[in-house]
Amino acid sequence: MRGKGANIAGVLPLFMLFIAGGISAFEDIEKLRIWPLPAEVSRGGRRMILTGDFKLVTEGSKYGDPSGILKEGFDRMLGIVKLSHVISGDQNSSGSTGSALLEGLIVIISSSTDELEYGADESYKLVVASGDKPSYAQIEAKNVYGALHGLQTFSQLCHFNVKKKIIEILMTPWNITDHPRFSYRGLLIDTSRHYLPLPIIKNVIDSMTYAKLNVLHWHIVDTQSFPLEIPSYPKLWNGAYSSSQRYTFEDAGEIVNYARRRGIHVLAEIDVPGHALSWGKGYPALWPSKDCQEPLDVSSDFTFNLIDGILSDFSKIFKFKFVHLGGDEVNTTCWSATPRIAQWLKKHRMSEAEAYQYFVLRAQKIALSHGYEIINWEETFNNFGSKLNPKTVVHNWLGTGVVERVTKSGFRCIVSNQDKWYLDHIDAPWQGFYANEPFQEIKDKKQQSLVLGGEVCMWGEHIDASDIQQTIWPRAAAAAERLWTPYAKLAKNPNKVTTRLAHFRCLLDQRGVAAAPLAGGGRVAPLEPGSCLAQ
């Protein structure tokens, strides 16, 4: 099973990693305390104090903020900067230190649209303080979503002065030029194995923005439950665990909109033809038989009419250019074991394997008819890669070598190899997440261009609302830097970023995200009393 976890294994405490890494763990670049590491950074030696009425200025920007995305992002940024302490000092005076005052942030955006487009320019430039207006910081970006990344980086520069009880920025002037290495930087959540309430999903989305992840892969339904309302086929959510563990169609739209306003795409998945037993709770005709309930009935037009209805409804709210159609772990024995389907196979001169191919390709055509490009799990490529639609993106999860074969065949690819980027493998330490390279051994530039990026997967067999965040973080952050930061700037030895990642983990905790200690695998408890920075 994809989501099967493992037992926690012992890992060296953090202070032992410092020793193992030697003095290089404290090299100058790690003093930046920014995660993920920007492409280019320079800094000075002065400090500036944020004034109490620190404000957003957009003069000179082509972006009019018609729906308030930038203003909301600015307000959220100020909110998280001020979240962990009461600001009671005089923020409008430089005092005896001679520190300069920072009165506001100028944001200049060159695009007037706020449409969230996959592959759009997410770069930004951040200067603290501006050369033209030395009492202001400045962000320049191509679009509002690049500016939101700039706001996240700005928030990490802010520091609470415990003695003066004010917010300040150290080591000014800062000059940061930044852009992502990969256009697809994903996190999968699974709401079939365990239902996740809306506030939890929103909290996950917020935490993704802190690490500059930009795709929430929503594995909505699976064998265990079907929690989503589908207006075209209203009995489908009879497969939910209970009436209170369901998402209305409007709930799904709310999640998509909440994510969009934060620069995050929502990738919806229906995993067909396997992993679909719960569909038959409302429509038993989808089952091969009462006693053999998975995969979906390949012989019935009703099966494909229903998939068409789902994707038609999806197209009204899930506006990401891709839809995920699954296609993995398909045990086709039910088809041959069911007499009427066996007869259909015989009539159409299909083997079980050929029927699997027929199902996947027919589902792909339906998705394409609704304007989607398709993502499928890698088994589809492994079994009949040459037959897949050219617009297919192959999602690697099983093993090594697949990415090279996929891209050599001209298909795009997303990397989620389970031995490194499966968050439910709670014995997997963060170092493996950091070191996992999407290009693997690919040297050809054309093949590299077909690797869209990667995704860490939070399968839900053993997580729910009570423990999802500490299972995701901080290991997902290690993968996030791999996907954002230029390859040349990445540490060859993951232990060299321990100090900076520990700081980011503490920052997540301060922002209300339950991030687990570094010294272990997933969701480990602290080994002993001590500083957040040393765990």
Side-chain angles (χ1 to χ4, degrees):
M1 190 65 204
R2 271 201 319 266
K4 185 173 286 187
N7 295 325
I8 297 175
V11 179
L12 285 173
L14 216 58
F15 68 87
M16 289 297 289
L17 295 177
F18 290 152
I19 295 171
I23 193 68
S24 60
F26 300 93
E27 289 173 349
D28 188 58
I29 195 170
E30 290 307 304
K31 294 179 182 178
L32 293 177
R33 301 293 189 268
I34 303 172
W35 196 281
L37 190 68
E40 298 177 25
V41 183
S42 67
R43 67 191 190 281
R46 300 191 296 273
R47 69 176 64 197
M48 300 187 76
I49 297 170
L50 268 69
T51 59
D53 59 349
F54 188 80
K55 53 186 171 290
L56 171 66
V57 177
T58 58
E59 293 176 9
S61 177
K62 293 182 180 178
Y63 178 68
D65 203 17
S67 55
I69 291 175
L70 179 60
K71 182 61 166 64
E72 283 182 10
F74 178 81
D75 291 343
R76 285 195 305 272
M77 181 275 292
L78 274 185
I80 59 175
V81 164
K82 298 177 179 179
L83 186 63
S84 60
H85 292 283
V86 175
I87 314 301
S88 59
D90 185 358
Q91 289 185 266
N92 296 312
S93 172
S94 59
S96 60
T97 63
S99 300
L101 296 178
L102 195 64
E103 299 177 26
L105 177 61
I106 302 168
V107 179
I108 299 174
I109 299 170
S110 58
S111 172
S112 61
T113 181
D114 57 14
E115 184 177 352
L116 181 60
E117 297 179 346
Y118 175 74
D121 191 332
E122 298 178 74
S123 66
Y124 67 92
K125 293 181 180 179
L126 169 62
V127 178
V128 184
S130 169
D132 296 332
K133 292 187 175 182
S135 60
Y136 285 81
Q138 182 168 303
I139 291 174
E140 295 180 20
K142 300 292 186 184
N143 58 60
V144 66
Y145 302 107
L148 293 183
H149 291 318
L151 289 172
Q152 288 298 337
T153 300
F154 182 85
S155 75
Q156 293 191 37
L157 300 182
C158 295
H159 166 77
F160 180 73
N161 185 315
V162 178
K163 291 183 179 180
K164 298 183 180 298
K165 301 178 183 178
I166 57 174
I167 301 295
E168 60 186 9
I169 295 181
L170 306 177
M171 298 186 290
T172 66
W174 287 89
N175 285 275
I176 296 173
T177 301
D178 203 11
H179 54 83
R181 182 182 174 208
F182 291 101
S183 60
Y184 187 107
R185 307 177 304 281
L187 167 67
L188 177 148
I189 60 170
D190 173 3
T191 58
S192 174
R193 277 57 180 253
H194 283 96
Y195 177 83
L196 298 172
L198 253 65
I200 298 298
I201 297 177
K202 289 180 175 181
N203 187 240
V204 169
I205 290 169
D206 285 332
S207 67
M208 290 173 66
T209 67
Y210 304 150
K212 298 184 173 71
L213 296 174
N214 73 333
V215 179
L216 178 70
H217 177 175
W218 189 4
H219 188 85
I220 307 171
V221 301
D222 208 291
T223 295
Q224 291 82 357
S225 75
F226 197 116
L228 178 64
E229 178 185 24
I230 301 296
S232 296
Y233 288 88
K235 293 182 182 179
L236 277 171
W237 70 352
N238 290 3
Y241 288 125
S242 71
S243 60
S244 64
Q245 297 175 87
R246 288 173 168 174
Y247 306 102
T248 67
F249 200 59
E250 292 76 15
D251 292 338
E254 169 67 12
I255 290 170
V256 171
N257 187 56
Y258 189 88
R260 180 187 64 83
R261 297 183 70 82
R262 287 153 179 78
I264 292 177
H265 305 274
V266 177
L267 170 65
E269 180 182 358
I270 54 170
D271 197 345
V272 295
H275 292 279
L277 183 150
S278 63
W279 299 33
K281 299 291 180 65
Y283 296 96
L286 294 168
W287 290 334
S289 71
K290 185 177 180 181
D291 299 319
C292 210
Q293 300 173 339
E294 208 171 52
L296 296 171
D297 186 351
V298 67
S299 69
S300 171
D301 284 338
F302 175 67
T303 299
F304 297 98
N305 291 337
L306 185 138
I307 290 173
D308 182 63
I310 292 174
L311 294 179
S312 176
D313 287 348
F314 272 18
S315 68
K316 297 177 177 67
I317 53 172
F318 293 108
K319 299 300 184 179
F320 193 27
K321 68 182 292 184
F322 299 109
V323 69
H324 206 305
L325 296 180
D328 64 312
E329 297 181 320
V330 180
N331 182 344
T332 57
T333 55
C334 263
W335 289 342
S336 292
T338 304
R340 62 179 178 80
I341 299 179
Q343 188 63 34
W344 182 89
L345 292 174
K346 184 178 180 181
K347 177 182 178 181
H348 292 83
R349 299 180 179 179
M350 287 188 196
S351 64
E352 289 181 19
E354 289 167 331
Y356 167 40
Q357 172 184 310
Y358 164 82
F359 194 113
V360 168
L361 298 184
R362 187 169 174 182
Q364 285 196 338
K365 288 180 181 179
I366 295 170
L368 289 165
S369 74
H370 291 288
Y372 286 116
E373 295 180 33
I374 313 113
I375 302 176
N376 279 109
W377 293 108
E378 71 172 72
E379 287 96 323
T380 58
F381 174 81
N382 296 340
N383 284 281
F384 42 88
S386 64
K387 303 294 184 180
L388 292 173
N389 186 279
K391 290 187 176 182
T392 304
V393 177
V394 178
H395 199 161
N396 160 238
W397 73 278
L398 281 171
T400 58
V402 177
V403 178
E404 197 280 331
R405 294 195 300 273
V406 167
T407 55
K408 193 172 184 179
S409 298
F411 289 104
R412 294 166 293 174
C413 190
I414 295 167
V415 178
S416 293
N417 44 323
Q418 63 174 334
D419 57 327
K420 298 296 183 183
W421 276 0
Y422 267 32
L423 291 158
D424 56 303
H425 292 193
I426 58 174
D427 60 336
W430 68 266
Q431 290 91 340
F433 282 78
Y434 189 92
N436 190 45
E437 172 52 42
F439 286 159
Q440 298 177 6
E441 299 300 322
I442 298 173
K443 304 299 182 186
D444 182 82
K445 294 295 183 183
K446 184 176 181 180
Q447 287 183 247
Q448 288 182 350
S449 70
L450 294 172
V451 180
L452 301 184
E455 176 181 292
V456 289
C457 298
M458 184 64 271
W459 295 108
E461 281 88 347
H462 304 292
I463 67 98
D464 61 11
S466 70
D467 60 1
I468 184 171
Q469 288 287 46
Q470 59 262 48
T471 313
I472 292 173
W473 306 105
R475 294 180 301 161
E481 179 153 296
R482 173 65 55 170
L483 293 167
W484 178 275
T485 300
Y487 181 80
K489 297 289 181 72
L490 294 167
K492 301 302 182 283
N493 177 359
N495 289 334
K496 290 185 178 181
V497 306
T498 302
T499 304
R500 188 162 50 85
L501 182 56
H503 178 273
F504 183 71
R505 177 252 167 167
C506 294
L507 186 67
L508 289 174
D509 286 340
Q510 290 171 4
R511 294 178 177 184
V513 179
L518 269 66
R523 66 169 182 263
V524 296
L527 294 174
E528 56 189 12
S531 167
C532 172
L533 293 166
Q535 295 177 336

